[in-house]
Amino acid sequence: MRTAVTAVLAISVAGCSLHRYSPVRLVSHMFGPSPGPLIGMVSADEPEATLVGRDILQRGGNAADAATAMGMALSVTLPSRASLGAGGACLAYRPGDQNGGRAFMFMPVAGTVTGPGMPRADRPAAVPMLARGLYLMHLQYGSAAFSELLPDAITLAANGINVSRQLATDLAAVQVPLLADAGIRAVFSRSDGKALAEGDALVQTHLSGALDQIRSMGVGDLYNGALGQSFVAGSQAAGGGLQMTDLRGAIPTESQPLVINSGETQVAFLPPPADGGLGSAVAFRAASTSDATQRAQASVAAWRAQNGSHSGSASDDLTRRAQAAVNAGGGATGGLLPALPASTSFTVVDHGGMAVACSLSMDNLFGTGRMAGNTGIILGASPARVPQPLLTAAVASQGRAFRAAVAGSGQNDAAAAVGIAMRQIMAGQTPDAHPVTTQGRVNAVSCPHGLPGDPSTCVAATDPRGAGLALGPR
């Protein structure tokens, strides 16, 4: 049965050379004295997010604290794929969890695009789900106050960052239509009118203010308060539609993951509507890498043909049907997936064996390509207009100990990449700088001896074709 947290969440949320920020002065208030050396593993597609997660772990936070801070930091450092307008899904596990832990679903949600007095919505936007989804996950697994996990993101936005290779690549891919928007152009272009390049300074003053408002007023302010009203007005002016009722009604959910059991080993995958988890489970069970890649996409195509590309909110019935398909080896196969939107992923594991693996998306590079007024938030694209990305993550455990975590991106190959990487890890291979599919990219953590326990054999890895960063236990 799904835990009854929806009502709790609704109540809770109502009311450079740039220098990286290291909020040591907040640490003693937040977690107590610094424990010293790195006590966990972190991997992400964007280096600043990895460093933020590492810092939280070093200061005594758990994996859920670190994952929350990383997700909010990505809204600053990789807004092409994970702005506050994004959505996604996370798997969380702590040693002793039953049924592989919990899945937290905050998929992109379509909003209202027409109504009395609303301007024409020529680029329909998604409801911003990132902050609310991370809040729900943190509510169930975190140890620090949510507000204490935002200063890194706030300061990165206000003081600025150096544009990473991944963000520079994304900017270059869509710079002509992207810079047509005045709000985007003011933030993401150079004095010569071209898009920012790798190493350029990126300062996001308005976004810093929005994040600070969330920190001081709570997540609910973006969905039911003054920040939400500013966001809706900005969305409508930018042709994205959206009304306050859309923001109030979009509630993330918590559900049981898909699970594959083998003796004491249990591997959990994201359930629908994050149907990349279904594809990953099928790939995990496939006989070969080539077979896994084909079967993963085919199983998702069949699932979408039967259930629709946008399956709505997570439900026990959806999970049961997807689990039955996994148990049957993937169920019906056939058909092709269209070209799918970009995404990003990260994994984090703390010294006690708590793990979080997340996959996030704007449903398009830079979403609608427009900004919501003076909030500094880039609008995600409505899932009513674009196909759903393959959001996928997996966590393996043995008995009461963490064993491995993998999260993936890479458009149509994302699901296969996660399933193949997890199968290789569970077969004894060490995750390393070795691509597993043509497009699919993974962030992975493996602890062969399990956690809690001796972390000396733990390894964190990120795909070498990206520009991410993985940090292990030393």
Side-chain angles (χ1 to χ4, degrees):
M1 294 294 289
R2 183 161 54 253
T3 304
V5 298
T6 302
V8 173
L9 177 68
I11 295 170
S12 299
V13 300
C16 272
S17 167
L18 301 173
H19 299 290
R20 269 196 13 91
Y21 174 60
S22 182
V24 176
R25 61 184 177 277
L26 294 180
V27 174
S28 60
H29 166 68
M30 182 166 125
F31 299 121
S34 172
L38 179 62
I39 51 173
M41 287 66 65
V42 187
S43 179
D45 291 332
E46 198 285 318
E48 285 286 354
T50 297
L51 294 174
V52 166
R54 183 275 309 272
D55 290 348
I56 295 296
L57 292 178
Q58 283 186 316
R59 298 196 300 272
N62 67 18
D65 297 325
T68 300
M70 291 172 72
M72 298 304 283
L74 282 168
S75 73
V76 178
T77 63
L78 198 58
S80 53
R81 297 164 183 254
S83 88
L84 283 179
C90 294
L91 269 180
Y93 166 85
R94 58 190 152 212
D97 271 357
Q98 300 297 309
N99 300 314
R102 303 298 291 174
F104 297 92
M105 318 299 291
F106 45 103
M107 308 288 290
V109 176
T112 301
V113 295
T114 60
M118 288 182 63
R120 178 173 174 267
D122 62 323
R123 292 193 190 179
V127 178
M129 297 297 292
L130 178 69
R132 220 174 203 175
L134 292 173
Y135 180 87
L136 174 58
M137 185 272 294
H138 183 263
L139 180 69
Q140 296 296 81
Y141 280 79
S143 62
F146 186 88
S147 62
E148 297 285 8
L149 302 172
L150 297 181
D152 279 295
I154 293 167
T155 306
L156 288 169
N159 290 359
I161 61 168
N162 294 114
V163 172
S164 68
R165 187 183 309 164
Q166 182 66 75
L167 180 56
T169 300
D170 290 347
L171 282 164
V174 295
Q175 66 173 319
V176 173
L178 185 69
L179 298 185
D181 179 74
I184 296 284
R185 187 168 60 251
V187 176
F188 292 95
S189 68
R190 308 162 70 170
S191 58
D192 62 4
K194 296 181 180 179
L196 295 175
E198 182 179 357
D200 286 345
L202 170 60
V203 178
Q204 300 174 80
T205 305
H206 290 309
L207 180 59
S208 174
L211 288 164
D212 192 48
Q213 196 160 339
I214 292 173
R215 181 197 62 79
S216 60
M217 301 300 294
V219 170
D221 199 55
L222 178 56
Y223 300 91
N224 201 36
L227 179 57
Q229 293 172 354
S230 295
F231 180 86
V232 165
S235 170
Q236 292 185 9
L242 300 183
Q243 298 190 38
M244 285 301 296
T245 52
D246 297 324
L247 271 63
R248 294 189 186 110
I251 304 294
T253 57
E254 175 185 352
S255 64
Q256 181 175 314
L258 304 178
V259 175
I260 293 177
N261 291 300
S262 178
E264 287 193 348
T265 301
Q266 186 172 66
V267 185
F269 300 88
L270 285 173
D275 50 21
L278 170 63
S280 293
V282 170
F284 178 78
R285 280 190 156 167
S288 67
T289 297
S290 58
D291 182 51
T293 303
Q294 189 276 330
R295 286 179 60 81
Q297 290 199 40
S299 63
V300 174
W303 174 267
R304 292 186 178 186
Q306 295 169 359
N307 299 279
S309 295
H310 310 287
S311 303
S313 299
S315 70
D316 291 333
D317 180 60
L318 270 180
T319 302
R320 279 193 295 267
R321 286 191 281 126
Q323 183 69 62
V326 171
N327 294 344
T333 60
L336 298 173
L337 290 171
L340 299 178
S343 57
T344 190
S345 73
F346 61 89
T347 57
V348 55
V349 179
D350 64 32
H351 72 291
M354 180 185 290
V356 179
C358 299
S359 183
L360 311 174
S361 178
M362 294 282 286
D363 266 2
N364 191 34
L365 275 184
F366 289 95
T368 69
R370 294 177 181 173
M371 195 171 285
N374 63 3
T375 66
I377 301 172
I378 299 174
L379 293 160
S382 171
R385 295 286 294 271
V386 294
Q388 180 176 299
L390 284 179
L391 299 181
T392 179
V395 175
S397 56
Q398 291 178 324
R400 296 178 59 86
F402 164 80
R403 178 62 178 79
V406 184
S409 59
Q411 288 79 20
N412 295 49
D413 278 3
V418 168
I420 294 167
M422 181 60 82
R423 173 158 51 86
Q424 291 175 345
I425 291 170
M426 299 311 292
Q429 296 184 35
T430 300
D432 55 18
H434 180 71
V436 293
T437 70
T438 302
Q439 285 186 307
R441 300 182 179 184
V442 300
N443 287 290
V445 174
S446 171
C447 293
H449 293 174
L451 288 178
D454 179 11
S456 63
T457 60
C458 294
V459 175
T462 190
D463 193 285
R465 296 166 297 180
L469 177 65
L471 296 172
R474 295 186 294 274

